[in-house]
Amino acid sequence: MGTLGFGEAMVSALGAVKTPRQTGYARARSGAPHPTGAPVLRDSVEAGTFEHVFFVAPAKGETDRLLRAARRILDAGRQLRSEARRDGRELTPAERLLTSLTAASVRVFEEILTLARLNKGRVFPSYDHLTQATSLGRATVARALRILEGIGFLVRQRRFKRVEGDGPGPRYEQTSNAYRAFLPKIVQAYLPRWMRPAPIPDDELQREADRIEELEHMHARLPAHEQAKAALKGPLAKVLARLDTALERQERESQKEPQPLLDSFIKEISGVGLSGQQRHYI
């Protein structure tokens, strides 16, 4: 949990998940039957493969702060609609997004935050659980989740799981979604100062700037081939790293049986015969 934009949250949370192509089966269109016969929804990720990077335990008091912020935005949205009607003006896109928040959405958000506090950030309730806990209809819960996700209060990841079945090959079925709560940047301007995240101290910003400058200076002093390796990322960087390791191992092994000293390093004492006589070396 934390203060991130919606796009940043998705990148940091889902950077290491396995996509359907990586898990070895084709991506199905939303709602279409999976080739194995199971209805796996689009953009679903296999349960158990990404949760370790997706879920984050909330800090002390963080869930309460997020809930207060959502309630504050609910009131701010009502005020924005009233002022727009009074002044006869149109809402901006950001204002229309904030005014879409409903009381039902805040109630669903409250339940998700409760689960996050009790389960150390591991939140994957079913729709049936959310409808029972909030006393709302299934359609209302689904709409509330879409609203929360649209504003950025939630990141939701669909999941599927493997099940036993007859015939060759694995079988899959849809399971509950995984959720992670955030405080989106879009709402911070409508929060009172005491509810906004504390700004980063100037000395911390300066230290970070100095660190980046030092890294760039060190990078500039590297040889050209080292700079190229430092700039590479992804699978190619891993291949080059393995190649360097193999070369270093080969070089170490070649040093185990060094060549003998050359004759030029042996000095012969002058005055001693070259054949059949004793030689003295220093």
Side-chain angles (χ1 to χ4, degrees):
M1 295 186 177
T3 304
L4 292 174
F6 181 68
E8 297 171 304
M10 290 299 295
V11 170
S12 62
L14 301 180
V17 302
K18 294 182 179 179
T19 63
R21 186 177 298 277
Q22 293 170 329
T23 51
Y25 57 89
R27 183 190 298 269
R29 301 175 63 182
S30 179
H34 191 269
T36 61
V40 176
L41 299 178
R42 184 179 180 181
D43 296 327
S44 296
V45 178
E46 185 174 2
T49 63
F50 70 97
E51 287 85 350
H52 61 290
V53 295
F54 185 85
F55 293 132
V56 176
K60 183 178 180 180
E62 183 177 1
T63 55
D64 293 333
R65 289 192 294 270
L66 289 173
L67 181 57
R68 285 196 298 267
R71 289 171 174 169
R72 181 76 181 190
I73 293 304
L74 180 62
D75 295 336
R78 292 167 177 168
Q79 185 176 357
L80 283 172
R81 285 195 298 269
S82 177
E83 291 176 354
R85 285 195 300 267
R86 182 191 62 196
D87 300 337
R89 70 175 182 89
E90 292 186 1
L91 296 172
T92 65
E95 290 174 341
R96 283 197 296 270
L97 188 61
L98 294 178
T99 56
S100 66
L101 190 66
T102 62
S105 302
V106 175
R107 178 67 189 92
V108 172
F109 192 47
E110 181 180 8
E111 178 59 24
I112 289 176
L113 291 174
T114 300
L115 294 173
R117 184 177 64 253
L118 296 177
N119 301 316
K120 297 182 179 181
R122 299 184 62 84
V123 184
F124 46 94
S126 64
Y127 272 63
D128 291 337
H129 173 85
L130 291 176
T131 55
Q132 275 190 335
T134 60
S135 299
L136 298 172
R138 189 180 181 89
T140 304
V141 169
R143 180 171 179 268
L145 291 172
R146 288 195 299 270
I147 291 173
L148 292 169
E149 190 176 16
I151 296 174
F153 278 115
L154 281 183
V155 170
R156 173 172 49 170
Q157 176 58 52
R158 290 172 173 167
R159 303 189 306 163
F160 69 89
K161 63 180 181 179
R162 300 178 183 231
V163 295
E164 297 294 332
D166 297 332
R171 296 292 185 269
Y172 306 99
E173 70 177 10
Q174 203 73 26
T175 186
S176 61
N177 301 326
Y179 301 93
R180 182 173 167 185
F182 290 91
L183 179 61
K185 292 181 179 179
I186 191 175
V187 309
Q188 294 183 24
Y190 298 91
L191 297 177
R193 185 177 298 274
W194 63 273
M195 292 183 66
R196 300 176 191 175
I200 302 176
D202 293 338
D203 56 347
E204 183 65 26
L205 292 174
Q206 185 60 43
R207 280 196 296 269
E208 181 64 17
D210 293 341
R211 186 186 69 83
I212 294 175
E213 183 179 358
E214 183 179 358
L215 288 175
E216 291 177 350
H217 179 66
M218 293 173 60
H219 185 267
R221 295 177 62 183
L222 292 173
H225 67 282
E226 293 290 342
Q227 291 186 21
K229 286 197 299 183
L232 289 175
K233 296 181 180 179
L236 181 58
K238 295 180 180 179
V239 171
L240 291 177
R242 288 196 296 268
L243 180 60
D244 286 343
T245 302
L247 292 175
E248 290 177 1
R249 185 185 303 112
Q250 183 179 1
E251 183 178 356
R252 287 195 301 268
E253 291 176 353
S254 66
Q255 297 299 324
K256 293 179 181 179
E257 298 179 359
Q259 295 180 356
L261 294 175
L262 300 177
D263 292 341
S264 60
F265 288 96
I266 304 176
K267 296 183 179 179
E268 189 174 331
I269 299 178
S270 60
V272 180
L274 297 179
S275 62
Q277 298 185 17
Q278 184 178 6
R279 294 182 180 183
H280 301 276
Y281 300 97
I282 59 174

